């Protein structure tokens, strides 16, 4: 596993936290929550794709 996935997730987290704070200070709490949920979904999508690749590799190694 390379470090690019970790950096992508950290970047998403940083951008989402900044956007959340800005929107929260502007009085847009509902939109801030939606932004944070969208960030979590994007991060989970990245993790799920890498997990699927890992499972495919395990299947090919053990010839399942």
């Amino acid at each position: 596993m390379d470090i690019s996935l970790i950096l992508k997730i950290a970047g998403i987290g940083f951008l989402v936290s900044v956007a959340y704070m800005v929107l929260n200070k502007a009085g847009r709490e509902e939109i801030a929550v939606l932004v944070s949920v969208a960030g979590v979904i994007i991060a989970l999508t990245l993790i799920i794709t890498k997990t699927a690749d890992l499972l495919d590799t395990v299947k090919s190694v053990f010839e399942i």
Side-chain angles (χ1 to χ4, degrees):
M1 183 174 104
D2 56 342
I3 196 157
S4 67
L5 178 65
I6 296 170
L7 291 176
K8 285 179 187 177
I9 293 173
I12 291 169
F14 180 73
L15 290 175
V16 166
S17 65
V18 169
Y20 181 85
M21 286 190 288
V22 168
L23 289 169
N24 205 12
K25 292 284 183 179
R28 305 282 187 180
E29 289 85 12
E30 297 87 11
I31 298 174
V33 170
L34 289 175
V35 167
S36 64
V37 170
V40 168
I41 290 171
I42 291 169
L44 284 177
T45 303
L46 290 173
I47 293 171
I48 288 171
T49 56
K50 287 296 183 180
T51 304
D53 292 342
L54 174 67
L55 290 176
D56 288 338
T57 304
V58 169
K59 283 181 182 178
S60 67
V61 166
F62 292 110
E63 298 175 357
I64 297 176

